[in-house]
Amino acid sequence: MASIKTALAASVLASLLWCAPALAAQSSAPATAMAPTAAGDEPLDLIMDRPSTVSTFLGTVGSALGWAWDKTTDAISVILPPSPISLAKSVDSDDQAELVTLLSYAGYKLKEIDSQVGVIPTIAFKFALTRELSEADWDYLDYRLEVSRFRTPGLGAALQRAIVGTVMSINTGGAYQVSELKIQALPLPKVAFSVTPKQTALGEESSALLRAIQKTERRLRGDLASIAGKILPGAKLYRLYKARDGIIVSAIALFVVAILVELRRNLRSPARGRAGRAIPLGLLGLGTLAWVVAALAPLSLLTLSGGIAVFGVTALLVAAKGPQAPANTAADTTPDAPEAPPEPTTAPAVAVHVTVETDAKAAVPA
Amino acid sequence: MKHCQWIGRAALAAALLFSAPLGISAARAADGEERAPWIVGSTLMNPLTIEVFKHLKQRAPQLPDPRIDSRGTSKGITDFCAGTGADTPDVVAMSRRMRGGEFETCTKHGVADIIEIQLGIEALVLTVSARDEDFALTFDTLYRAIAAELPESEEFLPNAAETWNDVDKSLPKTRINVILPSSALGARGFFDNRFLQGACREMHAFKNIFEADERVRQCTNLRKDGHVTELGVPYDTLAVKALENAPRGTVAIMPLRFALDAGDKLKMLRFETTIPNRENVSTREYIGTRPIYYYVKRAHVKDYNGVGLVPGLREFITEVTRESTFGDDGYLVPFGLVSMPERKRAEVRDAALRLKPMVR
């Protein structure tokens, strides 16, 4: 008997499987096509060796199966948890749940969303302590809870307030604090509080690190504010004379210009020996060094402008005096000093020689 | 024989049971020598407490004069929760609600039954001269006008705003000038906690500072470049006078009572979409408010049978919760108290007169 039943069941199942494509086609066909005909078996049914009644029956079963499948998938999609990303977005949105808002006022921020998809899906939210609360923060949280009590009655809201209230009482109670809060929504609502001593090694370390960062930031800010000419080591000595910046720079400028003039005169003069050229060159080097030191030192706008002005005036004076230099040079190299002939190898010497000749020719007729 | 033993034991137990209260009473009488009520806590509530006892003395002249030590809410609650007995205070006046942690500390020290009495609400409002133009401020705009440094891309830079319009384009182009109570006044603490920290709480840069002390220090650091003026006592008179002579755009922070009293000389500004008045302060819809409380040790209350440490405490509770005291037209209203809604007052009165211990 049992074997007959099994055989029947197997045959029904096999027929269902065999008819599946036809069922699908029929389920998508117009209703009129599915309606049983009064005229009995269709020729096609005869060809396929199936009576129309069986076809109708199978069509109905197929529709029912399709409907059942749709409803099952719908039901699964309903009970499936939303994706972690959509949850995270909803938590960050402006219309976030009141619990999240209250927890943020209590110093907690969403850290993780644990979501598992399966026959029994699970969702859990983990909140971590991100800041200590001040006295005013506690009072404000108390105020928000009171306002919530008036505005949002109901069991759910009361449970949420109870969670925040528990966190509040633990954190204000003394030596302990809720370092992490895990709120499980599925499969069964549950809240887990990770309570740790306030003075743990990790907390201390994190706090010290933060303090160090903030201290460095403050120092950096202070340094940036005072960096305008007060930091370079070489400038410290110079700062002592800051009031006399203008005079010093002007003196250096005059000194350099004077050296340049002297150098020009000496280089042109064949009467000067090597020593005569080395002294102004050395002075020029010293002047340049002094100038570099002055330039490295932080200069006030007044100093700079004063220095530039003096330098400019000196340059103008030198430029005005410039044309006289060759005349003087010519006077110095008149034929009464023929023992110093120009060196033929260097271009400046040639130029000087030419000048001398011109002047000499001009002088002869006179 | 067995019956006799049982009867003997029962009699002994009954004797012990009934003698216990007598023992306690005797102990109280021995150590306790009745004394005057001792009130500690908020300096702000000092005038209110004095006024309550003044009226109480008129009703019951035989009651002893109270001892009032106003050294602030935090010190008051610490002393109050230290324990029970003649050397500890009976009442603490607080300018906020007792916190869960404080309640637990009290319980731990044997102060288990505490009667909570919310007296009412106080509020701070923003005012300008009556001849000045109206404008609306928020936590954010107020803070951006008076803070010494403002968060700018994760760092704090000096505040450079000169006019209200620099802070928000919808505000007038008048110079920023804000009159505040000096740091020594209780109202300034209220302003710092409620208004300044209220603004910082919503700013990302402040949320990133973990340590509360560091955050509060940065948040309550105000400008010293002439845009903020601090005034001492008597603050109300000085502030009203300063507003009268001040240039346009000058805003003064005022307790609600002062603002209502000087209604012809100044007007209140809209703050966070609400223009404060008694109604929205009463319901705490206006955000610049805080509740004020008395907490009484039940163990110290001398009941009508004469059991208890301190005579006059029960009368104090009754006096505080009278309509003529903390009601809409109560005698504490001129002292800055904003009464609670009638239903809330009835709840408070009911719990207080039944000496119902608070639950947190």
Side-chain angles (χ1 to χ4, degrees):
Chain A
M1 193 63 185
S3 61
I4 294 169
K5 279 185 180 175
T6 311
L8 273 173
S11 63
V12 168
L13 187 63
S15 64
L16 282 174
L17 289 172
W18 177 69
C19 296
L23 287 172
Q26 282 190 9
S27 62
S28 61
T32 49
M34 289 185 66
T37 54
D41 295 342
E42 294 290 324
L44 187 63
D45 290 336
L46 293 174
I47 291 167
M48 292 183 72
D49 199 19
R50 286 188 306 184
S52 64
T53 47
V54 173
S55 181
T56 308
F57 168 73
L58 291 176
T60 310
V61 170
S63 302
L65 282 173
W67 176 85
W69 176 252
D70 287 346
K71 290 297 167 194
T72 307
T73 52
D74 286 351
I76 288 171
S77 68
V78 165
I79 61 165
L80 273 179
S83 74
I85 293 171
S86 65
L87 281 171
K89 280 181 180 168
S90 68
V91 166
D92 278 342
S93 67
D94 289 338
D95 56 342
Q96 59 189 4
E98 191 175 14
L99 177 64
V100 179
T101 311
L102 290 173
L103 283 173
S104 77
Y105 286 125
Y108 291 82
K109 203 170 178 184
L110 186 66
K111 181 184 163 194
E112 276 178 37
I113 299 176
D114 283 348
S115 173
Q116 291 177 13
V117 180
V119 177
I120 303 172
T122 62
I123 299 178
F125 302 88
K126 276 186 187 170
F127 292 85
L129 184 66
T130 54
R131 64 192 172 99
E132 287 178 345
L133 292 203
S134 65
E135 301 271 305
D137 289 335
W138 286 121
D139 291 342
Y140 184 69
L141 181 59
D142 202 39
Y143 164 74
R144 289 294 302 233
L145 287 172
E146 194 182 327
V147 170
S148 168
R149 241 168 254 132
F150 283 112
R151 289 187 185 163
T152 329
L155 185 63
L159 281 171
Q160 292 180 357
R161 285 193 295 273
I163 292 168
V164 180
T166 307
V167 170
M168 204 173 157
S169 62
I170 293 171
N171 286 8
T172 56
Y176 292 90
Q177 67 184 9
V178 178
S179 56
E180 193 178 86
L181 180 67
K182 187 176 178 183
I183 300 174
Q184 185 177 297
L186 287 174
L188 289 171
K190 189 172 76 175
V191 181
F193 301 92
S194 295
V195 181
T196 54
K198 280 181 181 169
Q199 301 296 328
T200 58
L202 183 64
E204 195 76 14
E205 194 180 329
S206 307
S207 184
L209 190 64
L210 193 73
R211 270 200 299 273
I213 291 168
Q214 286 169 347
K215 202 183 286 177
T216 309
E217 190 211 5
R218 272 201 300 274
R219 198 186 306 154
L220 184 65
R221 240 191 296 162
D223 288 355
L224 286 172
S226 63
I227 206 162
K230 295 178 185 171
I231 298 302
L232 288 175
K236 283 184 180 171
L237 186 63
Y238 187 81
R239 264 171 58 201
L240 297 173
Y241 303 99
K242 197 172 179 183
R244 286 172 285 173
D245 279 355
I247 299 167
I248 291 169
V249 173
S250 307
I252 291 169
L254 279 171
F255 177 74
V256 171
V257 170
I259 293 298
L260 282 171
V261 171
E262 183 64 19
L263 182 68
R264 187 179 172 214
R265 191 183 293 170
N266 276 280
L267 286 176
R268 284 184 168 196
S269 168
R272 304 290 172 101
R274 283 181 184 275
R277 290 176 195 169
I279 291 168
L281 274 173
L283 289 173
L284 178 67
L286 282 173
T288 312
L289 187 65
W291 180 261
V292 167
V293 170
L296 277 178
L299 302 175
S300 65
L301 193 63
L302 182 69
T303 308
L304 276 176
S305 55
I308 289 166
V310 172
F311 187 83
V313 169
T314 313
L316 281 173
L317 286 173
V318 170
K321 202 179 172 185
Q324 294 172 7
N328 293 340
T329 310
D332 291 342
T333 55
T334 47
D336 58 11
E339 68 276 5
E343 292 177 12
T345 51
T346 56
V350 172
V352 171
H353 180 68
V354 170
T355 311
V356 169
E357 273 186 346
T358 310
D359 289 346
K361 279 175 186 173
V364 170
Chain B
M1 191 60 187
K2 275 185 181 177
H3 289 294
C4 291
Q5 279 179 356
W6 277 109
I7 289 165
R9 282 175 188 174
L12 184 64
L16 284 171
L17 190 67
F18 288 108
S19 67
L22 293 175
I24 291 167
S25 302
R28 277 180 183 162
D31 85 52
E33 297 79 38
E34 294 177 348
R35 59 161 173 76
W38 181 8
I39 293 100
V40 294
S42 167
T43 49
L44 169 95
M45 291 175 67
N46 206 16
L48 304 180
T49 309
I50 291 169
E51 194 63 20
V52 169
F53 274 101
K54 202 187 286 178
H55 281 76
L56 191 56
K57 282 287 275 184
Q58 285 171 3
R59 288 181 203 275
Q62 77 281 3
L63 289 176
D65 290 332
R67 173 184 167 190
I68 302 174
D69 292 337
S70 301
R71 294 184 205 165
T73 294
S74 299
K75 176 82 172 78
I77 191 68
T78 308
D79 293 345
F80 181 82
C81 290
T84 54
D87 55 346
T88 60
D90 312 312
V91 180
V92 59
M94 294 181 69
S95 53
R96 59 172 171 79
R97 197 173 182 214
M98 186 188 285
R99 299 191 184 112
E102 290 164 344
F103 180 67
E104 281 184 13
T105 308
C106 269
T107 311
K108 204 159 53 182
H109 293 155
V111 189
D113 292 342
I114 300 169
I115 303 154
E116 183 182 55
I117 305 167
Q118 185 177 351
L119 190 62
I121 296 153
E122 66 155 346
L124 278 182
V125 298
L126 277 63
T127 58
V128 291
S129 169
R131 61 190 158 74
D132 209 342
E133 64 182 300
D134 265 329
F135 55 97
L137 290 175
T138 61
F139 279 125
D140 189 63
T141 50
L142 179 65
Y143 188 76
R144 287 183 183 281
I146 61 174
E149 292 181 330
L150 293 175
E152 195 73 42
S153 47
E154 301 302 324
E155 61 176 329
F156 291 94
L157 299 177
N159 189 352
E162 287 296 320
T163 67
W164 289 103
N165 189 257
D166 294 338
V167 174
D168 189 307
K169 294 297 168 200
S170 66
L171 296 175
K173 287 183 179 173
T174 47
R175 187 177 186 274
I176 295 167
N177 189 20
V178 178
I179 298 169
L180 293 177
S182 72
S183 306
L185 300 178
R188 176 57 181 276
F190 178 19
F191 176 76
D192 287 357
N193 289 350
R194 198 73 174 146
F195 290 77
L196 296 183
Q197 290 199 54
C200 298
R201 204 172 285 126
E202 304 298 334
M203 292 184 181
H204 191 67
F206 284 98
K207 285 181 183 174
N208 287 344
I209 302 174
F210 182 83
E211 281 190 349
D213 291 344
E214 175 70 16
R215 201 170 57 246
V216 172
R217 190 194 60 74
Q218 177 69 50
C219 181
T220 55
N221 182 19
L222 297 185
R223 321 174 64 156
K224 293 171 184 69
D225 52 1
H227 289 282
V228 176
T229 311
E230 293 186 2
L231 298 177
V233 285
Y235 180 73
D236 53 343
T237 318
L238 292 175
V240 171
K241 194 179 279 183
L243 262 189
E244 280 179 334
N245 302 322
R248 293 163 69 84
T250 303
V251 175
I253 310 299
M254 259 325 165
L256 178 68
R257 179 176 67 84
F258 297 160
L260 291 174
D261 287 353
D264 55 333
K265 294 174 186 167
L266 48 87
K267 57 185 172 186
M268 285 184 266
L269 291 182
R270 185 182 295 274
F271 185 68
E272 289 286 339
T273 73
T274 311
I275 298 176
N277 55 41
R278 283 198 178 280
E279 284 70 39
N280 56 34
V281 167
S282 172
T283 56
R284 299 194 73 189
E285 185 188 335
Y286 172 67
I287 203 155
T289 59
R290 67 175 175 184
I292 49 181
Y293 288 88
Y294 283 119
Y295 290 92
V296 184
K297 278 178 195 165
R298 185 175 164 169
H300 287 201
V301 177
K302 193 180 184 75
D303 63 18
Y304 292 126
N305 296 321
V307 178
L309 186 66
V310 184
L313 273 186
R314 182 143 206 149
E315 290 80 355
F316 171 75
I317 293 170
T318 310
E319 181 64 30
V320 160
T321 53
R322 279 183 206 279
E323 270 301 289
S324 60
T325 308
F326 77 157
D328 288 336
D329 301 316
Y331 59 77
L332 292 183
V333 171
F335 288 84
L337 184 80
V338 178
S339 60
M340 299 174 290
E342 195 177 350
R343 210 177 92 187
K344 176 80 177 168
R345 291 201 302 270
E347 282 174 15
V348 169
R349 184 184 305 114
D350 179 57
L353 294 181
R354 289 194 290 112
L355 304 183
K356 184 182 172 187
M358 67 176 283
V359 180
R360 287 239 48 173

